[in-house]
């Protein structure tokens, strides 16, 4: 009878730890490098412009919907309260004269309503006003 010794049996072990580390690193890389689409909460049909220029959206955002609903950033306000909201808006260290305001109005909003919004914004002390559109 032949007795097997430990030297005669060869066993190989595959260490899975480095592979798990690599897979974890790949998962982290793809999670960090993926860009996520930020969908706006307010639905608008912005007017189309062939000559519009791209600008970064920063500062204060005023949104006017076709039904007359107004938003300052994400807060819904009435037209008569818009001036008060703008006067008391915290611009940080930036003066209101230098603080940008972006106005996005639905394509169904009348020209008179937009002019009225411009007047309220300027009366509140803001002079840099961007009118948002979509490019054709």
């Amino acid at each position: 009878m032949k007795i097997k010794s430990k030297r005669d049996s060869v066993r190989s072990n595959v260490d899975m730890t480095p592979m798990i580390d690599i897979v974890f690193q790949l998962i982290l890389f793809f999670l960090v490098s993926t860009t996520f689409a930020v969908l706006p909460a307010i639905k608008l049909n912005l007017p189309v412009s062939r000559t519009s220029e791209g600008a970064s959206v920063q500062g204060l955002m005023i949104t006017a919907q076709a039904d007359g609903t107004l938003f300052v950033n994400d807060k819904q306000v009435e037209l008569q309260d818009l001036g008060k909201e703008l006067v008391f808006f915290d611009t940080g260290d930036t003066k209101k004269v230098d603080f940008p305001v972006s106005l996005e109005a639905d394509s169904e909003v009348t020209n008179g309503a937009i002019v009225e919004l411009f007047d309220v914004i300027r009366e509140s002390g803001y002079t840099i006003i961007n009118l948002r559109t979509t490019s054709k």
Side-chain angles (χ1 to χ4, degrees):
M1 170 186 295
K2 188 175 178 185
I3 299 176
K4 290 187 174 183
S5 67
K6 288 188 178 184
R7 288 185 232 155
D8 292 341
S9 66
V10 177
R11 289 193 153 190
S12 63
N13 268 345
V14 177
D15 190 9
M16 298 296 286
T17 306
M19 187 181 75
I20 293 172
D21 288 342
I22 296 296
V23 170
F24 181 71
Q25 292 291 327
L26 286 172
I27 291 172
L28 284 178
F29 171 77
F30 287 116
L31 282 175
V32 170
S33 65
T34 303
T35 58
F36 297 99
V38 178
L39 301 175
I42 303 169
K43 298 285 185 186
L44 284 181
N45 184 19
L46 291 174
V48 178
S49 172
R50 291 186 309 259
T51 60
S52 64
E53 296 178 12
S56 63
V57 178
Q58 58 182 350
L60 186 61
M61 176 69 67
I62 298 175
T63 306
Q65 290 183 327
D67 61 0
T69 308
L70 292 175
F71 293 91
V72 175
N73 290 337
D74 292 330
K75 181 181 177 185
Q76 184 174 351
V77 296
E78 297 295 324
L79 181 60
Q80 60 268 17
D81 299 330
L82 179 62
K84 294 176 197 170
E85 190 74 30
L86 294 176
V87 168
F88 294 115
F89 185 79
D90 182 24
T91 60
D93 295 335
T94 309
K95 296 178 184 178
K96 287 186 181 184
V97 175
D98 299 327
F99 196 78
V101 176
S102 294
L103 175 61
E104 57 180 14
D106 193 281
S107 61
E108 300 296 319
V109 175
T110 63
N111 188 35
I114 293 174
V115 170
E116 189 174 357
L117 289 172
F118 267 87
D119 287 340
V120 172
I121 294 168
R122 286 188 180 138
E123 288 170 353
S124 300
Y126 299 92
T127 58
I128 302 173
I129 305 170
N130 300 313
L131 188 59
R132 295 209 40 216
T133 61
T134 57
S135 60
K136 193 169 188 179

